[in-house]
Amino acid sequence: MTSRMMHAWRIRVPGPIGTRPLEWITTEVPEPGPGELLIAVRACGVCRTDLHVAEGDLPVHRQHVTPGHEVVGEVVTVGPETDSEFAVGDRVGVAWLRHTCGQCRYCRRGQENLCPHSRYTGWDADGGYAEFTTAPAAFVHRLPAGYTDTELAPLLCAGIIGYRSLLRADLPPGGRLGIYGFGGSAHITAQVALAQGAEVHVMTRGEHARELARALGAASVQGAADPPPVELDAAILFAPVGDLVLPALEGLDRGGTLAIAGIHLSNIPALDYQRHLFQERQVRSVTANTRADARAFLEFAGRHHIEVTSPEYPLNRADDALDALSAGRIAGAAVLLV
């Protein structure tokens, strides 16, 4: 079989984005293995986790990996021994979670996101900063109608992880939710919470992000470490800034929960038990997602149209998109278009 060639980005050496750790290469189109699909990438979201992988905040899982785990594409080949609901020509989504063992105690009790054998798109295996990618059919998602490729891409991580973070925050019906940081995931999660009847208060830096929060219906908007105008029933920290954990806890009402959404967080300063945790306040981390989370969120997005603010970049400018994300110049969630 004659090899086909494609363009892709790969991480040359992890390092600060200003050092250009990504390189643009020409390489062979991958062949799908047993149980896999070959997917022509149409769009790929630019996620902060891609930034953490590129800059080395997350340990290297695969040398020279191609980042990207918010992939919208079209099935072009079904691999051997693949029993799949998908066929050639289907529009599909590829997300962060790529593999779990299905046999450990976490998988058996419905917590596959905690599987110690889990693997991830754009970290353990090549992702969507490329013209083609492969993915296990069992971890590929059907996508809701009524969205463009650009609108769908951020839903596949920013949306899914935000949805799980909202579940972990344990927000009561009609409750008051605080959101710290207002980027790609936060601006989607705010809309989910508002659709569910919540009152949303946003704490974030950057006037563009504040304008977006106001436009989407936030009840109040203030600086990243400012106290909210009311006591909060729940909060989600999206910014990867450990210093914000303390003001977020102080903003909680009695019994409130803070969910920390990121895969990476800078160090948290010392907690004062009386000031930050007493009265049954609690902190919860968020680790990846389950496929059930993804399906539930994408079904929700099919019923409630989510407005996704997505600055677009051509694929060959992925390094510029990551640079803009690192510098805080992106409101919403940037998307690479192939």
Side-chain angles (χ1 to χ4, degrees):
M1 179 177 177
T2 302
S3 296
R4 293 179 293 169
M5 306 304 288
M6 70 173 188
H7 291 107
W9 289 93
R10 70 176 185 179
I11 297 174
R12 180 173 48 82
V13 178
I17 290 299
T19 67
R20 298 294 183 181
L22 269 65
E23 62 178 346
W24 179 243
I25 63 169
T26 301
T27 187
E28 292 185 0
V29 173
E31 290 289 333
E36 292 186 338
L37 305 174
L38 175 64
I39 297 164
V41 178
R42 303 301 183 214
C44 185
V46 179
C47 180
R48 187 163 291 276
T49 301
D50 301 334
L51 194 60
H52 294 318
V53 172
E55 293 190 326
D57 293 327
L58 297 178
V60 174
H61 276 197
R62 177 177 174 175
Q63 292 286 344
H64 307 307
V65 73
T66 293
H69 56 274
E70 296 178 322
V71 182
V72 176
E74 179 181 326
V75 177
V76 293
T77 306
V78 177
E81 304 172 32
T82 302
D83 181 14
S84 172
E85 61 181 298
F86 301 110
V88 172
D90 285 350
R91 184 167 74 159
V92 297
V94 180
W96 175 239
L97 186 65
R98 180 184 184 85
H99 167 85
T100 56
C101 72
Q103 299 174 349
C104 69
R105 61 193 178 113
Y106 306 104
C107 287
R108 292 199 305 271
R109 69 191 188 199
Q111 294 178 297
E112 66 177 0
N113 60 306
L114 301 180
C115 174
H117 309 290
S118 56
R119 295 197 294 270
Y120 301 95
T121 308
W123 194 17
D124 296 285
D126 289 336
Y129 285 24
E131 293 175 326
F132 293 87
T133 192
T134 60
F139 286 81
V140 168
H141 300 287
R142 287 211 175 274
L143 299 173
Y147 292 87
T148 65
D149 293 343
T150 297
E151 292 171 325
L152 282 169
L155 301 185
L156 288 161
C157 181
I160 293 170
I161 203 66
Y163 182 80
R164 182 168 182 85
S165 300
L166 188 57
L167 296 177
R168 293 283 289 163
D170 207 14
L171 179 68
R176 300 182 299 269
L177 174 69
I179 291 179
Y180 290 79
F182 206 72
S185 189
H187 92 287
I188 294 172
T189 308
Q191 294 178 69
V192 175
L194 288 166
Q196 294 175 340
E199 179 182 303
V200 175
H201 299 268
V202 173
M203 280 61 68
T204 190
R205 64 173 188 170
E207 189 53 39
H208 289 309
R210 294 180 194 176
E211 289 174 3
L212 180 57
R214 294 186 190 101
L216 291 175
S220 74
V221 182
Q222 42 271 317
D226 291 343
V230 295
E231 293 182 314
L232 303 170
D233 298 303
I236 305 173
L237 174 59
F238 287 101
V241 182
D243 287 346
L244 293 179
V245 170
L246 304 191
L249 285 171
E250 288 186 52
L252 292 176
D253 200 354
R254 299 178 179 211
T257 298
L258 169 64
I260 299 175
I263 191 173
H264 170 77
L265 186 73
S266 61
N267 290 335
I268 301 172
L271 291 167
D272 180 291
Y273 177 72
Q274 295 291 333
R275 184 176 175 184
H276 300 120
L277 286 178
F278 191 55
Q279 302 293 355
E280 299 195 353
R281 299 181 185 92
Q282 59 182 313
V283 183
R284 291 178 172 177
S285 67
V286 179
T287 300
N289 61 273
T290 66
R291 282 171 286 179
D293 294 329
R295 288 192 294 269
F297 170 69
L298 292 170
E299 288 170 4
F300 181 93
R303 298 191 305 271
H304 304 270
H305 190 86
I306 295 172
E307 297 294 332
V308 185
T309 300
S310 302
E312 296 178 348
Y313 290 77
L315 178 63
N316 63 4
R317 289 185 56 210
D319 52 350
D320 293 331
L322 282 176
D323 183 62
L325 177 62
S326 178
R329 297 194 301 270
I330 292 177
V335 173
L336 305 176
L337 295 182
V338 181

